[in-house]
Amino acid sequence: EEPPNMAYFILTSNSMEQLLPTLESRCVHLPLEPYTESELKEYCDADFIKYAQCPGDIEKLKTLDISKLEQLCNDIIEYCQVGLLSDAFILFSDMKFKDTDVEGYEVNIVISMLNYKLCEKYVNTGNPNYSLMSVRLNEARHKMNTYNISKENEFAGFLIYSRLLWCRS
């Protein structure tokens, strides 16, 4: 219960709501904002910096075929708009989200790039469906990170929501 003199523990959390009240009451809250693009550019000036959320993402992006991942994200958006949902699931099943020893893409990298592409399309077209897809995508990311929900299931939910969104318009 009582730490030794001059000892400090650092507890980090993406979601304060998930901390037990007994822990939270003993903590000093220091909210940290995500890195800005200019801060990330100080670390690396590569053109894919727009997809990174932190310097660690930059290191991961350096090892990927960015054009292939960009095409994958564009294909996901296209299938959600005009394709068959089954095509989106086939594309998604080929993606294989990376865990510890499986080749594929890390879910946060895919979501960051996909979110960027959605925002880019919204700015260029003004179509609110892109914005709604972005909101749902960020909700999916939050659930994956906070509630230990299956990445695949939550991403599949995003695909279904997105396809239904475009079918209604």
Side-chain angles (χ1 to χ4, degrees):
E1 279 274 334
E2 294 300 322
N5 287 340
M6 303 303 293
Y8 294 92
F9 295 95
I10 298 174
L11 174 68
T12 62
S13 174
N14 289 339
S15 174
M16 293 300 292
E17 302 85 42
Q18 296 299 305
L19 287 179
L20 294 172
T22 54
L23 285 176
E24 187 178 357
S25 67
R26 292 173 171 87
C27 294
V28 174
H29 298 239
L30 299 170
L32 302 173
E33 295 297 318
Y35 286 92
T36 65
E37 188 170 335
S38 62
E39 289 171 327
L40 291 172
K41 282 184 178 178
E42 288 176 23
Y43 184 75
C44 174
D45 62 356
D47 63 345
F48 57 73
I49 197 75
K50 58 192 170 194
Y51 305 126
Q53 298 292 310
C54 64
D57 285 354
I58 293 171
E59 292 303 317
K60 293 170 192 167
L61 286 164
K62 285 180 182 178
T63 65
L64 299 177
D65 180 347
I66 298 300
S67 60
K68 186 177 177 183
L69 187 54
E70 285 176 324
Q71 186 58 51
L72 177 70
C73 289
N74 286 328
D75 288 348
I76 289 170
I77 294 169
E78 183 180 334
Y79 283 128
C80 287
Q81 291 174 315
V82 296
L84 298 172
L85 191 56
S86 59
D87 291 338
F89 278 108
I90 290 168
L91 183 71
F92 167 67
S93 67
D94 290 341
M95 200 162 38
K96 297 178 188 165
F97 283 138
K98 183 178 188 177
D99 284 323
T100 52
D101 46 338
V102 177
E103 286 193 31
Y105 297 112
E106 289 199 25
V107 68
N108 284 325
I109 296 289
V110 175
I111 289 175
S112 293
M113 184 176 288
L114 190 54
N115 196 39
Y116 182 88
K117 294 290 182 188
L118 289 168
C119 292
E120 187 177 62
K121 288 182 180 292
Y122 174 71
V123 167
N124 291 334
T125 66
N127 188 320
N129 284 353
Y130 292 118
S131 179
L132 292 171
M133 285 175 71
S134 178
V135 168
R136 177 61 184 95
L137 184 61
N138 285 314
E139 288 172 354
R141 179 198 314 246
H142 175 74
K143 288 179 183 177
M144 289 176 207
N145 292 335
T146 305
Y147 302 113
N148 198 23
I149 292 175
S150 161
K151 296 170 187 167
E152 289 80 7
N153 289 345
E154 195 56 38
F155 202 82
F158 161 76
L159 291 176
I160 293 167
Y161 168 87
S162 298
R163 183 63 189 124
L164 292 174
L165 184 67
W166 286 97
C167 287
R168 291 191 309 227
S169 47

